[in-house]
Amino acid sequence: MGTVSEKVLEETKLFRAALPGLLEEHRGKWVCFQGWICTQLHDDEKAAYDAAVREFGAGTGYVIAPVSETHTTPVTAAVLFGLSYA
């Protein structure tokens, strides 16, 4: 099944591949993304984070990210891997 970091890395790759389509429909929103699917849309990071934790729980692989060209590293990947997403 893989470690959480492996799952988040895979979801990050899927998110990046889906980003062009997400930009067309959801630019400026925050998404919860898992399994090639944008499961939720939110207006801000906190709302997206809270909803993702409720939906997916801790210790699972998912992405919380802004739908924007300027943020290429999803927040969950940035937190997990200690990266800056700015």
Side-chain angles (χ1 to χ4, degrees):
M1 189 77 170
T3 65
V4 173
S5 61
E6 291 169 335
K7 292 174 191 173
V8 170
L9 186 57
E10 181 61 28
E11 292 298 330
T12 299
K13 291 175 187 175
L14 295 174
F15 170 78
R16 286 183 177 156
L19 188 56
L22 292 171
L23 283 166
E24 288 179 20
E25 297 185 38
H26 307 301
R27 184 182 301 269
K29 294 288 188 179
W30 281 79
V31 298
C32 302
F33 189 90
Q34 185 182 49
W36 198 253
I37 299 168
C38 173
T39 65
Q40 301 174 28
L41 295 170
H42 299 279
D43 291 327
D44 60 67
E45 180 182 2
K46 180 165 179 9
Y49 176 81
D50 290 345
V53 170
R54 278 192 309 273
E55 181 175 347
F56 304 122
T60 61
Y62 55 88
V63 165
I64 302 164
V67 180
S68 168
E69 297 99 340
T70 59
H71 292 91
T72 57
T73 302
V75 174
T76 47
V79 171
L80 186 61
F81 297 111
L83 306 172
S84 170
Y85 65 94

